[in-house]
Amino acid sequence: MKKLVIAISMLALAASAAFADPIRDRQALMKERGKIVGGLSKVAKDEEPFDAAAVLTQLQALQANAEKFDIDALFPKGSESGDTTAAPKIWEDMAGFKAVEDKYLADVKAAVAAAPADADALKTQVGAIGSDCGTCHQGYRIKKG
Amino acid sequence: MPWLKKLVGVALILGVAGAAAGWLLSAPVKLDAATLAQLGPGDAARGKRIFYAGGCSSCHAKPGAQGDARLQLVGGLELKTPFGTFVPPNISQDPKDGIGAWSVADLANAMLKGVSPTGEHFYPAFPYGSYARMKPSDVADLYAFLKTLPAVSGKAPDNSLAFPFNIRRGIGLWKRLYLSDQPVIPLPDGTPEPVMAGRYLVEGPGHCGECHTPRDFAGGTRKGQWLAGAVAAEGGGVVPNITSGEGGIGNWSASDIANYLETGFTPDFDSAGGAMVDVQRNMAELTADDRAAIAAYLKAIPPHPNGYPARKKSTK
């Protein structure tokens, strides 16, 4: 009996170890997303000077980040538990979740393609991108305290 | 056993008296004439601000609606709570399915007293526990603004609640315990104007306490833990502590808070999620002064530690 309990808890441990990485990886990518958008939004709000080349580099970094965001690899089944704020709804509605990320990527690409020439243009783009962050976090994320 | 008979008799009398008292105590109370007289003519332009501060579309727009469709207040969202499922009704200007036929006094009785035109109690899932602190003139302005929105036909499904919560009359007792038009946080004379304005927006139309304050066994907000964060009543997870106490947002500056309400970005550039997204999008429609006032109030209120239990550390 005791052995069985140990065996089961080993299994549980192994399972959480296997999933520890995708959770950490997706959180690291999200954090990077936040940092980049944070820098851009300071420029959009005129808190920092507008430099077209630097802004474009940041937008490209945002696109690279989004292209690295491989949902199948980062959100394997079972990775909804543990130290994560991902909502179970992701796995109930994987297609919907992917559609939001696709729209986000499309908006980032559009911003890169139409490189903003001034802070006002950037503001509009950051507004659209920021709204995508909110839409996804609204449906697919839960703060657990 | 005559004593037993007597006891039963006494119990019966007490029971009937109790029920009668309960019946009287639970009677719906409408606004008095003096309050109704303060409604005034109403101004749609000013009412727009109250509409966004009050977040009516978060609950009454069609679920998932975006952009202008959020102004079609057909209802139908399902709010799943421990008491059962509440469904906010159609409050568009449709005279049959919505509230197009309501007078301004009808709306004021609903928002300030939680009473319907036919004299029934509304459930406090309609957050009139907060709206009760609103100025009557603001309700009149809101009424004028609602009149400018489209009429949309179609009834939302009824609430589906378990006994005894399905008995509306019982809400009268809840109101006796919790319904008040008085401010939650007393502020001394000489408090700066933005803090006062922020108190009104947060405690009244903004109804921030409905989500951010823990509740007692009967579903009333715990005023001693005002805005300390709570287990979410709906949707799972927790609603964060927004006081300056431990676990809260004491390390956010007033402008961090105002910026979050405008853009949805936290100081470390996380982006707001869950039920706060709709609230934040509504807050973005207010003026910078209104957002600054809310921030000033949140910095001024008593700090509390988290109002929800700590989560078990995940085993890693």
Side-chain angles (χ1 to χ4, degrees):
Chain A
M1 182 62 194
K2 217 177 197 166
K3 259 197 195 137
L4 188 64
V5 172
I6 292 173
I8 289 175
S9 59
M10 294 291 287
L11 264 179
L13 249 176
S16 61
F19 288 131
D21 286 333
I23 292 177
R24 218 170 307 146
D25 290 352
R26 69 201 187 206
Q27 288 176 344
L29 282 169
M30 279 295 160
K31 272 212 188 83
E32 183 187 51
R33 222 174 248 199
K35 237 203 209 118
I36 301 170
V37 173
L40 287 169
S41 90
K42 286 214 173 90
V43 179
K45 291 188 100 179
D46 281 331
E47 288 167 14
E48 272 166 28
F50 183 86
D51 169 345
V55 163
L56 183 58
T57 310
Q58 289 302 297
L59 285 172
Q60 282 162 341
L62 205 55
Q63 177 174 343
N65 168 290
E67 280 166 348
K68 261 188 288 185
F69 202 75
D70 176 354
I71 289 183
D72 290 327
L74 293 169
F75 295 85
K77 272 207 179 63
S79 68
E80 67 266 38
S81 56
D83 206 358
T84 171
T85 55
K89 194 178 156 210
I90 292 176
W91 291 270
E92 289 158 18
D93 177 25
M94 192 46 95
F97 181 63
K98 286 182 173 166
V100 184
E101 178 67 15
D102 287 348
K103 163 147 193 325
Y104 167 73
L105 176 59
D107 284 344
V108 172
K109 278 186 174 158
V112 171
D118 55 31
D120 268 351
L122 177 64
K123 192 169 184 171
T124 313
Q125 291 171 341
V126 170
I129 290 170
S131 159
D132 292 335
C133 317
T135 300
C136 190
H137 289 187
Q138 176 175 35
Y140 300 101
R141 210 173 156 209
I142 294 187
K143 287 255 161 93
K144 295 169 191 167
Chain B
M1 271 181 281
W3 60 270
L4 186 62
K5 231 181 183 169
K6 223 188 215 162
L7 198 66
V8 170
V10 169
L12 260 177
I13 290 170
L14 279 177
V16 169
W23 188 251
L24 289 175
L25 287 170
S26 63
V29 182
K30 288 201 176 185
L31 292 167
D32 56 26
T35 312
L36 289 174
Q38 296 167 31
L39 284 169
D43 175 275
R46 284 198 308 257
K48 186 171 176 187
R49 166 175 174 259
I50 301 299
F51 177 79
Y52 285 110
C56 315
S57 53
S58 302
C59 287
H60 289 280
K62 194 175 180 170
Q66 299 285 336
D68 275 355
R70 296 188 62 72
L71 298 177
Q72 301 184 3
L73 304 174
V74 283
L77 183 73
E78 290 191 345
L79 298 165
K80 298 200 171 84
T81 75
F83 305 103
T85 300
F86 293 97
V87 185
N90 183 333
I91 61 160
S92 79
Q93 291 301 310
D94 191 274
K96 199 164 73 19
D97 296 338
I99 61 168
W102 284 30
S103 68
V104 61
D106 288 338
L107 184 70
N109 274 309
M111 295 197 55
L112 304 178
K113 288 288 181 185
V115 178
S116 79
T118 56
E120 278 196 300
H121 291 301
F122 285 122
Y123 287 98
F126 169 23
Y128 59 79
S130 297
Y131 296 154
R133 298 189 188 93
M134 289 170 62
K135 291 189 279 224
S137 59
D138 279 347
V139 177
D141 290 345
L142 175 60
Y143 179 84
F145 178 71
L146 290 175
K147 281 277 168 215
T148 68
L149 300 182
V152 193
S153 61
K155 281 257 181 234
D158 287 335
N159 299 329
S160 94
L161 306 171
F163 180 82
F165 308 114
N166 56 352
I167 301 175
R168 284 188 183 267
R169 185 74 185 211
I171 300 164
L173 300 174
W174 184 92
K175 286 184 179 173
R176 290 208 161 245
L177 288 173
Y178 302 112
L179 191 60
S180 160
D181 58 2
Q182 294 303 303
V184 180
I185 304 293
L187 294 171
D189 284 349
T191 300
E193 181 47 38
V195 178
M196 302 291 288
R199 175 172 74 176
Y200 178 72
L201 287 168
V202 168
E203 297 184 4
H207 68 279
C208 317
E210 303 281 342
C211 294
H212 283 280
T213 304
R215 293 176 184 273
D216 61 22
F217 69 97
T221 46
R222 292 185 192 270
K223 305 275 154 43
Q225 291 176 283
W226 183 245
L227 301 181
V231 173
E234 198 258 324
V238 300
V239 184
N241 181 353
I242 53 170
T243 75
S244 295
E246 196 186 341
I249 56 171
N251 58 348
W252 293 29
S253 69
S255 69
D256 287 339
I257 299 174
N259 182 62
Y260 175 83
L261 297 173
E262 184 188 353
T263 64
F265 290 122
T266 68
D268 47 358
F269 291 101
D270 198 340
S271 167
M276 192 60 199
V277 174
D278 277 340
V279 177
Q280 183 268 316
R281 285 179 181 164
N282 289 325
M283 291 294 122
E285 301 286 334
L286 301 185
T287 61
D289 281 350
D290 281 343
R291 288 186 294 266
I294 291 173
Y297 166 84
L298 291 182
K299 291 310 263 181
I301 59 175
H304 297 292
N306 290 347
Y308 53 85
R311 189 160 62 108
K312 275 193 303 198
K313 273 265 161 266
S314 62
T315 44
K316 262 207 287 197

